[in-house]
Structure formats: structure tokens, C-alpha cells
């Protein structure tokens, strides 16, 4: 008997159903059920919007995610640009060095950051949180941007020079727009995990600053499954929306850039 | 200094990673001229263009624009525009914005930009395509937009880097006519790079034939075609019979075993030369009386306008002949060559000569190797000598490892009864070989010299 190629897909299908589709479905079901009666309700969502503490944590998390993403972008773009200039990065070792932290577990890196702050006698708190976030997610921003800059046909740059563009005009009118797919990938790769992270916040702020991920975790841990699910669903929607916006930005030249 | 000259290249040289790409080239380009840099890939033509555009800077030499050195002028300040080989249209801009790119940078008023863009779009027959995404256009249309984007800026010189190479034959022919017409209308200087000799002959006022980083000949298309200055040019431009000959005296040359009258003078007496005969310049007829020599037709192929025939002459040389009439294979024909149709060229070399150093009484060192050489006994060790090997005394072998030197067949010429090959060794030296065996360009070969065939000169 000949085994069709599609047969090989079944184990993956089972995996996807068990570990992706089913949990998502369960989150959705829990989110719309009343904790006591089990009846359909929008009460969990209503509770979120009427609990200023949770709502504020949510808005604060988004703010932290946006700040982290912007900081990463501001730091990563010039870095990626310099790396993409071949003479500085002939052996690609420099890129490797930038990507290397990704090989180390995020918790270990964060604990190391805590130790570093202690050593330098710097206070843990909001500043440490931002530093930790940027430090953790910077490679995810550098790599896609570097990739799109590196793959860019140098003849576009020559064409722009040829048509009279000064170096800064070449950058603003050609290099930057053509690298936008990479920028969007980077923004997504940083924004999505930062909005849901909680371990970094707990460790780097000594639990002083609470992020939305922590709120969800606390609720689930304390047995408030339905409310916790509703919060998780809200976060999923936000992440889903961002990736839609990102896709929109990416459609022009979807084949360029790319994650890894 | 001639005021007419817009660009003057003076002793330009350029190398990449120690490998010379341009070797001391000098060239003057007149205003309004259509100049074509023609040569095989790797001859340095694109490098020359990029030096002019300013994307590269020369290792040596100067580029003068209207008599002024432009070494320090960055590309964006040079009054040139380039049509790139792969067009390099900006994918994030539509047709209109691509063309308007240069004008916007120079802050030309919007309504003027509008007028100019529409005018060039009309010129390249692309009206109504303003809003199209450049990636949705066909190759030919992208090419037109690329040309429009360059000429809309009214550059002093338009640089074109193999602009038609990516188009199919029919489209290429049409674009050639349009380019020529555009050149006439615009009246600006065109510097055009191509490896297509036919394109060069069709378009240019002046052709610059290049090979291996050197300019071999500069001239009008008719000059280049009718009076090639060396066998490379003769072979590269059009079809030709290239033969070894001997200049007996002024106006008398001997080749293929016969003596012919010609119009060339000043070569000296009894001097080896190369003779070029264009296949359409050999008269072919059914009878042998009145002919200078006879031949047997080997093959006859219809080529559309003419027939192409290969004949074996009475002395065993093969010639290519083009004629409007067909002659049946196997028939005996008479051939006639008029004095004015014989192009005689001085030979660049008559044997291989290498710098060598005597090692001991039986060995010399040359081409990075030690060779056995009995002739070395006449010299002292460490003497600097010149080693000579005749073309037909070089042995080529199929397997590189069987040769003392290994290399690649770099260029080949059929000389009527044998092949004249240029072998480029792995060490970067040229060895010229006469052989009856058939080799192809790019073949990897081993090279041997028999020790008794190496002559040494002080």
C-alpha cells in the first residue's frame, strides 16, 4: 500500500487540535461563561471594563509594549543598517554576536540583568523593566531589519544616487521605504511577546510593577478561570489586531524582509 | 584641448582584489556622440561605465568632464543618468513617481514635473501607464520606464548598461531603433555598454572594442568591421576568416599557399601577419578559369538572405563564404579575392615568450614552475632570460593533472587549417597554442612543454 503524503500530516493535525485549537476554544468557552452558573454571559468582560485596576494594568502593559518596541526600533535600525554594510560585517560574525543572546533562556538573561543591576547598585523598577525588555527583545528587531537591508539590491541605491539623491535622501526615499517589510516583522516580533510577558516584569521590578500578563496569571492561579480566560481573550484580540496591521504594511512586498 | 570633447578618460585603471579589470585605458568622447563600449563579459566595459557614473573610483588615472577632473564629484552631483541593466526601478513607487524621482529631488515645480513626465512617457510610448505598479509591467515596459526615468532629467550624458540584454530578440530590435531615434531627438551623448556586436554596429557613431581591460580599437562601425586592427576584433565583430599570412613586400601578401595583391604597405618584407577575409568578400564562381585559386564546396546552408558555404581550398585550408547563390556540396569552384578586401594585420606575437630565471644547467624557472631545459646550460644560474616556445610546440592534454601547468581555454580562433588558442593558466598567464585538435572555450586543460622546445634568450 502506498502511503500518501497527506497521511504524514495527521500527527501534526492531532497536535494542532490538542494543543492549539482546543485550548483556544476552551479559553473562548470559559470567557463567556458565568463562574457560578455556567450560563452564557458577557459579565466577565463587563467586569474587566469596570475594574479600574485591571483596566489600568492593561493600558499600562500596552504602553510598556509600545515603548519597548519603539526603543528597540530606534536602537535596532541603525545597528542593522551598519551591519548590512558589507565591509563591517564581511564574515557575518558581528550579526551572530547580536543574535547570540537569543540562544540563552530569557529567564536566565533576566536573572542576570537583575544581578547586574544589583552589582551596579541601580534600583530595580520601571527603568530596569524597560532595560530588560529592550535587552531581551532587541535581537528580534535587529534580525528582520538586517535581513531586509542585506537582501536589498544595491542597484536601487545606485539608481537613487544617479538621479541626484544625496546620501540622506537615498536613505529616506529608497532604503527606508524598501526596508519597511523588515521593520514591520521586527515590530510584530517585539510587540507581541512584550504585551504578554510577566516574568521579566516580576523579576526586574520586584513585583512592584504589574503587567497584564501577571494579572491573567494571578486570576488563573487563584481559580478565577472564567475571568482569567476573558482577559486572555482580550489580549489575544489585541495581538491579532497588531498582526493584521503588520500584514497590511507587509503586503506591498511580502516576499522581502521576513522573520528568519 | 578640444572643446568638443565632453568626457575624457585618461589612463584609467582599476583592479578588484588585486585582479586588474581596467588597464590604463584612455578615451575621448565627443558631445552628442553615441559611443558603444563593446566586448565580452569581463572585458571591463561595465567597470568603465561605473567609473564614469561615479559608483566606483579609479585606482589610477583621471576622468575629465568638460576638461575638469570629476574625481571628487559624488555620483549624485554628476550630470549623468544611468539606465541600469536590471532597470532598478523603485518597487515602492509607481511609474509616475519613478520617473519624477529625480525632478522631485531637484524641487522642480509640480506642474512642470507633470508636463515633463507626460512628455517622456509619450516619448517611450508609455502614456496611460503613470499609475501602474512597476512590478506589474513587462520587461520591455520596465525598460522604457527606466529610460524615461533617466532622460527626464536631461542629463548631459546618458549611460546605458546593457539595457536591452534582458529583452527578447524582436523587442530588442524595436528598442534599438527607438534608442537611435531618441538619441537623435535628444542630441545628448550616449555611452552604451553591450556585448552584442550587432547592436553596437547598428546603434553607434563610435565603437570602442575592449578585451581584458584594454581598449583594442576605437572607430566607426564601418572602420571596425572593415579594418579590424587585430584578430580579436576581427573575430568578435561579424563573421570572418582569420588566416596566418606573410607580407612578402608592400602590396603583396601570401596566405593559404597563394600570393595575393593587396593594398597594405609599410609592414616590411617577409613579415608574418594575420589576414582577415570577410566571408561576403570572397567571390565564388562555377568555373576555375579567371579565378585565383580553386576549392571544393563542403557544405552549403541557407541563411535567409544568403547562403553560407564552407569550402576546402586546393591547399587544404577551410574558408567560410557567403553568397546569394548556392553552390552544391562536392562541386569544384573558383575563388577570387579583390586587393581591397584583404585586411592585413600585424601579428601581436609570433611565439610564446615568458620571463624566466635559470636555476641550474638543466632547469629554468618560469610561470611559477621549474622546467627541464637543456638550453639552460648556456647560462649561469640566477640569470634572467626570456624563454620562448613556439605556438605549435605547446602540448595540451585533456586532464589538468597530466599537465605541468593547468589552465582553461580562454579564446579560440580558427585559422583555416588549425586552431589558435589562448590558454589562461591558473597562475594568470597566457599561453598561445596552435593545434589541429578541437577544443572548446572553457575547456580545462593541462599544458606541457617538451624540454627541447624551450628556447632561451638573454
Amino acid at each position: 500500500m502506498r502511503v500518501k503524503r497527506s497521511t504524514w500530516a495527521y500527527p501534526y493535525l492531532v497536535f494542532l487540535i490538542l494543543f492549539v485549537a482546543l485550548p483556544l476554544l476552551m479559553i473562548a468557552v470559559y470567557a463567556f461563561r458565568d463562574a457560578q452558573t455556567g450560563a452564557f454571559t458577557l459579565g466577565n468582560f463587563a467586569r474587566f471594563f469596570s475594574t479600574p485596576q485591571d483596566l489600568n494594568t492593561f493600558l499600562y502593559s500596552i504602553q510598556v509594549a509600545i515603548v519597548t518596541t519603539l526603543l528597540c526600533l530606534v536602537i535596532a535600525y541603525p545597528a542593522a543598517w551598519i551591519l548590512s554594510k558589507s565591509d563591517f560585517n564581511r564574515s557575518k560574525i558581528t550579526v551572530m554576536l547580536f543574535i547570540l543572546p537569543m540562544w540563552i533562556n530569557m529567564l536566565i538573561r533576566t536573572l542576570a540583568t537583575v544581578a547586574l543591576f544589583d552589582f551596579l547598585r541601580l534600583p530595580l523598577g520601571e527603568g530596569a523593566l524597560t532595560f530588560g525588555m529592550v535587552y531581551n527583545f532587541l535581537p528580534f528587531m535587529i534580525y528582520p531589519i538586517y535581513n531586509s537591508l542585506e537582501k536589498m539590491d544595491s542597484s536601487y541605491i545606485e539608481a537613487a544616487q544617479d538621479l541626484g539623491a544625496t546620501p540622506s535622501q537615498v536613505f529616506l526615499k529608497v532604503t527606508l521605504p524598501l526596508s519597511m517589510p523588515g521593520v514591520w516583522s521586527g515590530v510584530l516580533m517585539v510587540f507581541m511577546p512584550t504585551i504578554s510577558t510577566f516574568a521579566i516584569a516580576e523579576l526586574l521590578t520586584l513585583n512592584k510593577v504589574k503587567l497584564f500578563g501577571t494579572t491573567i496569571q494571578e486570576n488563573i492561579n487563584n481559580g478565577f478561570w472564567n475571568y482569567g480566560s476573558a482577559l486572555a481573550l482580550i489580549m489575544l484580540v489585541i495581538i491579532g489586531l497588531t498582526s493584521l496591521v503588520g500584514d497590511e504594511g507587509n503586503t506591498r512586498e511580502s516576499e522581502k524582509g521576513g522573520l528568519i | 584641448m578640444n572643446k568638443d570633447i565632453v568626457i575624457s578618460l585618461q589612463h584609467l585603471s582599476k583592479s578588484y582584489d588585486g585582479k586588474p579589470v581596467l588597464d590604463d585605458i584612455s578615451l575621448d568622447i565627443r558631445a552628442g556622440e553615441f559611443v558603444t563600449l563593446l566586448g565580452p563579459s569581463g572585458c571591463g566595459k561595465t567597470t568603465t561605465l561605473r567609473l564614469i557614473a561615479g559608483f566606483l573610483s579609479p585606482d589610477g588615472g583621471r576622468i575629465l568632464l568638460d576638461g575638469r577632473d570629476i574625481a571628487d564629484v559624488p555620483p549624485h552631483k554628476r550630470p549623468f543618468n544611468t539606465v541600469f541593466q536590471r532597470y532598478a526601478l523603485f518597487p515602492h513607487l509607481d511609474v509616475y513617481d519613478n520617473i519624477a524621482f529625480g525632478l522631485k529631488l531637484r524641487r522642480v515645480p509640480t506642474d512642470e514635473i507633470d508636463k515633463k513626465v507626460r512628455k517622456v512617457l509619450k516619448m517611450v510610448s508609455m502614456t496611460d501607464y503613470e499609475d501602474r505598479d512597476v512590478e506589474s509591467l513587462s520587461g520591455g515596459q520596465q525598460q522604457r520606464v527606466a529610460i524615461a526615468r533617466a532622460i527626464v532629467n536631461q542629463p548631459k550624458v546618458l549611460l546605458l548598461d546593457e539595457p536591452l540584454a534582458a529583452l527578447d530578440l524582436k523587442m530588442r530590435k524595436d528598442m534599438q531603433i527607438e534608442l537611435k531615434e531618441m538619441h537623435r531627438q535628444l542630441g545628448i551623448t550616449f555611452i552604451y555598454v553591450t556585448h552584442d556586436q550587432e547592436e553596437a554596429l547598428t546603434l553607434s557613431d563610435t565603437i570602442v572594442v575592449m578585451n581584458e581591460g584594454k581598449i583594442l580599437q576605437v572607430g566607426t562601425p564601418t572602420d571596425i568591421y572593415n579594418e579590424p586592427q587585430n584578430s580579436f576584433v576581427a573575430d568578435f565583430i561579424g563573421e570572418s576568416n582569420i588566416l596566418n599570412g606573410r607580407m612578402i613586400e608592400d602590396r603583396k601578401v601570401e596566405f593559404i599557399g597563394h600570393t595575393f595583391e593587396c593594398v597594405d604597405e609599410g609592414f616590411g618584407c617577409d613579415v608574418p601577419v594575420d589576414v582577415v577575409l570577410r566571408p561576403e568578400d570572397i567571390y565564388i564562381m562555377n568555373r576555375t578559369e579567371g579565378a585565383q585559386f580553386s576549392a571544393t564546396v563542403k557544405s552549403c546552408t541557407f541563411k535567409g538572405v544568403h547562403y553560407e558555404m564552407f569550402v576546402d581550398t586546393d591547399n587544404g585550408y577551410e574558408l567560410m563564404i557567403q553568397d546569394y547563390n548556392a553552390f552544391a556540396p562536392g562541386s569544384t569552384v573558383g575563388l577570387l579575392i579583390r586587393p581591397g578586401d584583404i585586411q592585413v594585420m600585424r601579428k601581436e606575437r609570433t611565439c610564446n615568450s615568458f620571463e624566466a630565471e635559470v636555476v641550474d644547467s638543466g632547469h629554468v624557472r618560469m610561470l611559477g614552475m621549474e622546467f627541464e631545459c637543456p638550453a639552460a646550460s648556456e647560462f649561469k644560474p640566477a640569470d634572467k632570460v626570456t624563454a620562448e616556445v613556439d605556438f605549435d610546440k605547446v602540448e595540451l592534454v585533456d586532464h589538468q593533472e597530466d599537465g605541468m601547468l593547468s589552465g582553461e581555454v580562454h579564446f579560440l580562433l580558427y585559422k583555416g587549417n588549425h586552431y589558435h588558442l589562448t590558454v589562461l593558466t591558473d597562475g594568470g598567464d597566457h599561453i598561445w597554442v596552435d593545434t589541429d585538435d578541437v577544443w572548446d572555450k572553457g575547456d580545462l586543460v593541462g599544458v606541457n612543454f617538451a624540454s627541447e622546445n624551450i628556447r632561451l634568450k638573454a
Side-chain angles (χ1 to χ4, degrees):
Chain A
M1 198 186 79
R2 225 173 82 86
V3 181
K4 280 199 287 185
R5 183 148 34 146
S6 56
T7 317
W8 294 101
Y10 291 142
Y12 299 100
L13 200 63
V14 170
F15 173 86
L16 285 177
I17 289 170
L18 278 180
F19 296 104
V20 180
L22 209 57
L24 276 175
L25 194 70
M26 283 170 69
I27 290 176
V29 168
Y30 271 96
F32 288 102
R33 284 177 106 178
D34 190 83
Q36 266 80 49
T37 61
F40 174 82
T41 177
L42 292 173
N44 296 320
F45 295 95
R47 184 176 151 196
F48 168 67
F49 287 106
S50 56
T51 314
Q53 198 200 343
D54 290 352
L55 200 59
N56 285 339
T57 310
F58 177 67
L59 293 176
Y60 181 71
S61 289
I62 291 185
Q63 187 198 319
V64 168
I66 290 174
V67 168
T68 305
T69 310
L70 285 179
L71 275 174
C72 280
L73 184 58
V74 168
I75 298 169
Y77 201 101
W81 191 71
I82 293 165
L83 288 176
S84 71
K85 300 274 156 205
S86 56
D87 34 342
F88 182 66
N89 185 38
R90 199 156 273 177
S91 54
K92 315 250 174 217
I93 283 177
T94 341
V95 173
M96 278 294 297
L97 288 176
F98 272 94
I99 307 299
L100 208 64
M102 281 158 82
W103 294 5
I104 297 159
N105 181 284
M106 193 184 287
L107 273 178
I108 296 176
R109 270 185 291 163
T110 306
L111 286 169
T113 312
V114 174
L116 186 72
F117 270 68
D118 281 345
F119 178 74
L120 296 172
R121 298 181 194 288
L122 289 167
L124 293 175
E126 236 177 21
L129 173 64
T130 315
F131 176 86
M133 294 275 235
V134 171
Y135 167 59
N136 264 307
F137 293 108
L138 190 62
F140 295 95
M141 185 68 92
I142 291 183
Y143 200 75
I145 298 178
Y146 162 75
N147 231 5
S148 67
L149 286 172
E150 221 253 321
K151 279 191 209 146
M152 194 182 298
D153 192 340
S154 63
S155 67
Y156 293 135
I157 289 154
E158 286 180 358
Q161 291 177 331
D162 187 74
L163 292 165
T166 60
S168 57
Q169 286 171 324
V170 170
F171 178 77
L172 288 175
K173 291 182 186 292
V174 177
T175 314
L176 187 62
L178 285 178
S179 64
M180 280 319 279
V183 170
W184 275 114
S185 302
V187 165
L188 284 184
M189 302 260 305
V190 173
F191 186 79
M192 289 203 279
T194 46
I195 201 173
S196 59
T197 186
F198 60 92
I200 297 177
E202 287 174 14
L203 291 169
L204 283 171
T205 67
L206 303 171
N207 276 331
K208 267 185 259 165
V209 172
K210 200 160 138 192
L211 290 184
F212 198 54
T214 315
T215 309
I216 297 174
Q217 187 221 11
E218 280 172 2
N219 277 293
I220 303 271
N221 274 355
N222 295 331
F224 304 121
W225 289 73
N226 301 77
Y227 184 52
S229 296
L231 298 182
L233 201 61
I234 289 167
M235 196 171 71
L236 268 177
V237 168
I238 295 294
I239 290 175
L241 283 178
T242 0
S243 53
L244 274 184
V245 174
D247 269 353
E248 205 57 38
N250 251 342
T251 38
R252 285 202 84 122
E253 259 192 285
S254 45
E255 66 279 0
K256 295 201 175 157
L259 298 180
I260 284 170
Chain B
M1 168 121 209
N2 192 337
K3 267 171 120 178
D4 224 19
I5 287 165
V6 60
I7 290 180
S8 173
L9 311 180
Q10 302 186 336
H11 305 290
L12 280 188
S13 50
K14 176 81 190 167
S15 39
Y16 292 124
D17 302 326
K19 206 174 155 255
V21 186
L22 278 187
D23 186 6
D24 191 23
I25 67 158
S26 296
L27 179 68
D28 285 336
I29 294 167
R30 292 195 312 275
E33 204 177 6
F34 196 128
V35 182
T36 300
L37 306 179
L38 173 68
S41 59
C43 71
K45 54 191 193 300
T46 298
T47 305
T48 309
L49 198 75
R50 292 172 61 79
L51 284 170
I52 297 173
F55 301 135
L56 296 173
S57 38
D59 297 341
R62 301 193 302 166
I63 302 172
L64 305 184
L65 169 68
D66 295 327
R68 278 197 318 275
D69 193 338
I70 53 169
D72 299 327
V73 183
H76 67 271
K77 289 203 181 126
R78 298 192 183 189
F80 311 144
N81 284 115
T82 308
V83 178
F84 291 85
Q85 187 171 8
R86 305 296 317 178
Y87 319 138
L89 296 176
F90 303 122
H92 60 297
L93 301 177
D94 64 12
V95 169
Y96 183 96
D97 286 333
N98 260 285
I99 298 174
F101 193 89
L103 298 174
K104 282 183 180 166
L105 288 174
R106 283 191 280 125
R107 304 187 193 287
V108 176
T110 320
D111 51 335
E112 204 176 317
I113 292 182
D114 222 45
K115 234 189 297 171
K116 287 187 170 182
V117 171
R118 270 170 230 294
K119 199 174 142 206
V120 286
L121 275 172
K122 198 168 162 216
M123 201 164 174
V124 297
S125 332
M126 288 284 288
T127 318
D128 299 336
Y129 281 89
E130 293 101 324
D131 302 328
R132 288 281 290 275
D133 193 352
V134 290
E135 287 183 334
S136 70
L137 301 178
S138 73
Q141 290 169 331
Q142 290 191 19
Q143 182 58 74
R144 285 160 196 271
V145 176
I147 293 170
R149 184 178 68 174
I151 61 178
V152 77
N153 303 295
Q154 294 165 308
K156 198 160 196 152
V157 178
L158 185 67
L159 308 172
L160 302 106
D161 185 7
E162 307 224 18
L164 308 184
L167 304 181
D168 62 49
L169 184 67
K170 178 84 176 65
M171 181 86 83
R172 205 152 64 215
K173 297 265 181 208
D174 292 346
M175 281 304 289
Q176 282 175 13
I177 297 167
E178 286 182 41
L179 272 176
K180 188 92 185 150
E181 176 59 23
M182 250 177 251
H183 176 246
R184 201 186 56 75
Q185 277 185 32
L186 294 167
I188 59 175
T189 313
F190 276 38
I191 304 179
Y192 192 97
V193 161
T194 185
H195 63 268
D196 183 337
Q197 46 103 4
E198 202 190 316
E199 203 163 282
L201 292 171
T202 311
L203 291 171
S204 326
D205 298 324
T206 303
I207 296 178
V208 179
V209 186
M210 298 181 67
N211 191 34
E212 297 185 342
K214 289 196 173 70
I215 292 178
L216 298 184
Q217 189 171 359
V218 181
T220 64
T222 27
D223 280 351
I224 298 270
Y225 187 84
N226 290 333
E227 279 157 48
Q229 274 166 15
N230 59 49
S231 50
F232 178 85
V233 177
D235 181 68
F236 196 72
I237 311 280
E239 310 267 21
S240 47
N241 296 291
I242 300 171
L243 304 156
N244 286 336
R246 204 160 49 82
M247 204 69 191
I248 297 169
E249 54 184 62
D250 280 355
R251 295 167 174 271
K252 198 170 264 183
V253 62
E254 186 250 296
F255 56 92
I256 59 168
H258 295 275
T259 304
F260 296 85
E261 251 182 75
C262 65
V263 293
D264 299 270
E265 296 177 352
F267 284 84
C269 290
D270 207 26
V271 175
V273 289
D274 278 324
V275 174
V276 178
L277 296 173
R278 293 292 180 188
E280 68 274 18
D281 288 340
I282 304 174
Y283 291 87
I284 177 168
M285 50 205 168
N286 269 321
R287 52 196 167 75
T288 48
E289 54 274 16
Q292 286 164 316
F293 59 102
S294 66
T296 314
V297 179
K298 271 207 312 195
S299 71
C300 178
T301 318
F302 183 53
K303 289 281 182 179
V305 178
H306 60 261
Y307 290 88
E308 184 174 281
M309 285 156 284
F310 284 94
V311 303
D312 276 333
T313 72
D314 45 7
N315 288 328
Y317 288 86
E318 187 184 73
L319 293 178
M320 180 203 264
I321 299 173
Q322 291 170 353
D323 200 275
Y324 296 126
N325 301 304
F327 292 83
S331 60
T332 304
V333 291
L335 300 178
L336 188 81
I337 304 163
R338 289 196 321 197
D341 291 334
I342 297 172
Q343 167 67 15
V344 178
M345 306 176 301
R346 205 173 287 281
K347 268 193 185 296
E348 287 150 86
R349 61 191 72 77
T350 50
C351 68
N352 291 296
S353 72
F354 312 109
E355 285 171 26
E357 188 186 323
V358 176
V359 178
D360 56 38
S361 63
H363 295 87
V364 288
R365 187 169 181 79
M366 60 185 191
L367 303 166
M369 295 264 308
E370 215 166 278
F371 288 85
E372 225 175 279
C373 173
S377 59
E378 294 169 29
F379 295 88
K380 287 197 295 292
D383 272 359
K384 302 272 186 236
V385 292
T386 302
E388 291 185 342
V389 181
D390 287 332
F391 296 144
D392 56 354
K393 293 289 171 12
V394 181
E395 294 161 38
L396 292 186
V397 286
D398 273 318
H399 299 288
Q400 284 190 306
E401 54 270 28
D402 294 343
M404 286 185 274
L405 292 162
S406 60
E408 180 191 332
V409 178
H410 193 55
F411 180 62
L412 54 104
L413 272 181
Y414 185 56
K415 289 250 179 148
N417 65 344
H418 67 273
Y419 288 92
H420 185 64
L421 311 183
T422 309
V423 175
L424 183 64
T425 66
D426 295 344
D429 295 294
H430 289 99
I431 298 174
W432 288 272
V433 187
D434 279 344
T435 172
D436 293 333
D437 301 328
V438 180
W439 299 90
D440 273 323
K441 197 174 168 178
D443 279 352
L444 300 178
V445 293
V447 182
N448 286 323
F449 309 126
S451 54
E452 67 273 18
N453 291 328
I454 303 175
R455 290 192 305 271
L456 296 184
K457 275 191 191 167

